[in-house]
Amino acid sequence: MATEDNWPRSVLNAKYRSMPGEFLYKGNQWVSWTSEQIIRRVEDQFQFWPSDVILSGYPKSGNTLLSEMVSLLVRSQGQKSKWAETLKWAHSYPVFNRVVFIEEIYQWIYPSCTQITKPMDYLEQWTTEGSQLPCRLIKTHLPADSMKCALDRVDQSPRIVYVYRNPKDVCVSMFHFYRGAQEYGPFAGDWDEFLHMWLDGWIAAGNWSRVVPEWLKFSRLCTRPGNRILCLSYESLVREPMKCVQRLHRFLNPYQPLDPEVSEAICEHTSFERMRKNPQTNYENVDGFVSDFEFMRRGEIGDWKRWFTAEQSTEFDRIYVSCVDQVNRFIFPGKLTLE
């Protein structure tokens, strides 16, 4: 772990570097891409609709891939006759304008808006005609307890898709994101220092070993009327995209058949290489990153093996084995592993 003392230390945790706009809320660290006021507004004021589709997941877990798949399925409704217009629409707006990041602090010019607008303000004035969508698509990294606060205020829950990923790969991806995004400093520490932060749970959006199991437990044990939650692993999205597209379609459009040509087209469109080159998904025109940063970096399953030493991997497994066992009680089919 880095030992130099010439960097500003966090006033919240003196063991580690300070982060822009950092704050604690309900035991989780957050940084400048959101605020306590915004999170409280989601919990206490924002009105979710039964028709909403919420895409949730811990950061760097496949959220952009899931957002692209879902936006294409919802816009096309799986129908070949709507695919050309859907593709034109997807090429016209970046993915973060089609799937709105509800707790984000940044403002954008959303579809049908003539000026920059805050995400929640846009969602509250959302219309089918303006968005060219049959329902609101909402992205969040908020923990399950925050979302439960919001959902307890509605009679019927919206549909939720939760994506999760091997925490070792999430850790490595998050390390590179910390080093490339201005909202994290950018982080100037080395891999060893970041890994210590991760194992301590000192990561923006909260401790993976608490946040992800709580979401997966919520998805299986929630007994609220109309509970509709689908959980998918990043690994399945990459290894079996066709099966995932089919599962997503059944969940999102249960009364519409999925045209085989549309499912094939979505799989092709959302391949890592295609998304990496696509300016509407690769964030190449978004400010706030260092000059050589690639938002779509590798996307490989098992990329962690390039970064973890044998000793680091053993220590990570020791800390996370019980957490993964807990996670695996709530996911089916498939199992999460640390391999």
Side-chain angles (χ1 to χ4, degrees), residues 60 146 177 205 210 242 263 285 296 299 307:
K60 311 311 294 179
S146 288
F177 198 62
R210 181 177 67 250
M242 184 66 74
S263 58
N285 297 317
M296 308 287 291
W307 291 88

Side-chain angles (χ1 to χ4, degrees), residues 76 78-84 259 261-262:
S76 69
Q79 298 179 39
K80 183 179 177 180
S81 61
K82 296 182 178 181
W83 178 247
D259 190 289
E261 291 186 34
V262 172

Side-chain angles (χ1 to χ4, degrees), residues 270-320:
T270 57
S271 70
F272 182 80
E273 286 306 316
R274 288 282 292 273
M275 289 185 63
R276 189 179 193 179
K277 296 174 183 177
N278 182 354
Q280 305 297 26
T281 55
N282 66 15
Y283 284 69
E284 69 177 29
N285 297 317
V286 177
D287 295 332
F289 298 108
V290 298
S291 59
D292 60 346
F293 177 73
E294 287 186 293
F295 182 82
M296 308 287 291
R297 190 180 60 88
R298 299 189 72 95
E300 292 181 7
I301 297 170
D303 184 49
W304 66 267
K305 296 173 185 177
R306 293 185 171 92
W307 291 88
F308 280 73
T309 65
E311 182 180 357
Q312 289 171 339
S313 179
T314 298
E315 177 66 4
F316 194 103
D317 291 355
R318 182 187 67 79
I319 294 172
Y320 267 74

